[in-house]
């Protein structure tokens, strides 16, 4: 009886150790980025005056290395006249180029000319794949050049602090809320 119990416990421990090694490898490396988007972080283009409508947002990006995709959720509070949201390349306090379109309300093209209103809820949930990335080149303040053309290079720029999420509205078409990833 003792041998059976010992064998059972030994098998159980071996199985659990195997799971600790195999499951993370099979699932791929997981990584999460978050952006707290606020009006205070927004950077207006030269000559543009932004209007604070009191909105704010949160964006969560979950990367799964095994399948090379990023799932994201975009939540807004007091969002009025939302038109679109993106990931941009840019240092904190600087404007940058769009590298991924996250959401659109139908404002552009006329299907929803007033934009969307979202209060305390999810505006968008989707998956970013290799084909979602718009190739861009960014030079960091220290002179480092980031060539973003796929998910791994996008993640490298995000890890270095040179990506931000931003949402746009009818009142503030150049951006109303922004947060570094």
């Amino acid at each position: 009886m003792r041998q059976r119990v010992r064998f059972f416990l030994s098998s159980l421990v071996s199985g659990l150790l195997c799971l600790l090694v195999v499951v993370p490898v099979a699932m791929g490396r997981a990584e999460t980025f978050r952006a707290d988007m606020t009006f205070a972080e927004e950077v207006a283009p030269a000559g543009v005056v932004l209007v604070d409508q009191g909105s704010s947002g949160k964006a969560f990006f979950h990367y799964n290395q095994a399948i090379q995709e990023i799932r994201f959720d975009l939540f807004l509070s007091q969002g009025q006249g939302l038109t679109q949201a993106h990931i941009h390349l840019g240092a904190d306090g600087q404007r940058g180029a769009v590298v991924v379109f996250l959401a659109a309300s139908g404002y552009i093209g006329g299907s929803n000319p007033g934009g969307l209103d979202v209060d305390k809820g999810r505006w968008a949930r989707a998956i970013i794949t290799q084909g979602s990335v718009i190739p861009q080149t960014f030079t960091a303040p220290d002179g480092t050049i980031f060539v973003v053309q796929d998910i791994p290079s996008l993640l490298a720029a995000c890890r270095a602090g040179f990506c931000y999420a931003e949402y746009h509205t009818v009142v503030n078409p150049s951006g109303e809320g922004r947060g570094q990833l």
Side-chain angles (χ1 to χ4, degrees), residues 50-165:
L50 299 176
V51 177
D52 186 353
Q53 298 190 98
S55 67
S56 62
K58 294 186 186 314
F60 299 91
F61 300 86
H62 308 283
Y63 169 61
N64 184 324
Q65 183 180 21
I67 53 179
Q68 289 290 297
E69 71 178 21
I70 301 170
R71 294 180 181 269
F72 79 87
D73 289 293
L74 182 60
F75 297 88
L76 292 173
S77 179
Q78 297 181 10
Q80 300 172 24
L82 300 166
T83 58
Q84 52 191 320
H86 311 98
I87 296 175
H88 295 256
L89 282 180
D92 193 22
Q94 295 180 337
R95 295 191 58 77
V98 173
V99 287
V100 177
F101 280 87
L102 298 175
S105 68
Y107 170 76
I108 296 172
S111 64
N112 192 0
L116 292 178
D117 294 339
V118 178
D119 187 26
K120 298 180 183 171
R122 181 184 299 126
W123 178 24
R125 168 182 264 176
I127 297 172
I128 300 168
T129 62
Q130 297 292 3
S132 304
V133 179
I134 301 166
Q136 301 286 357
T137 301
F138 170 74
T139 303
D142 69 357
T144 303
I145 297 173
F146 290 89
V147 177
V148 175
Q149 56 194 3
D150 54 19
I151 288 178
S153 56
L154 173 66
L155 291 169
C158 290
R159 288 181 194 117
F162 298 120
C163 292
Y164 63 92

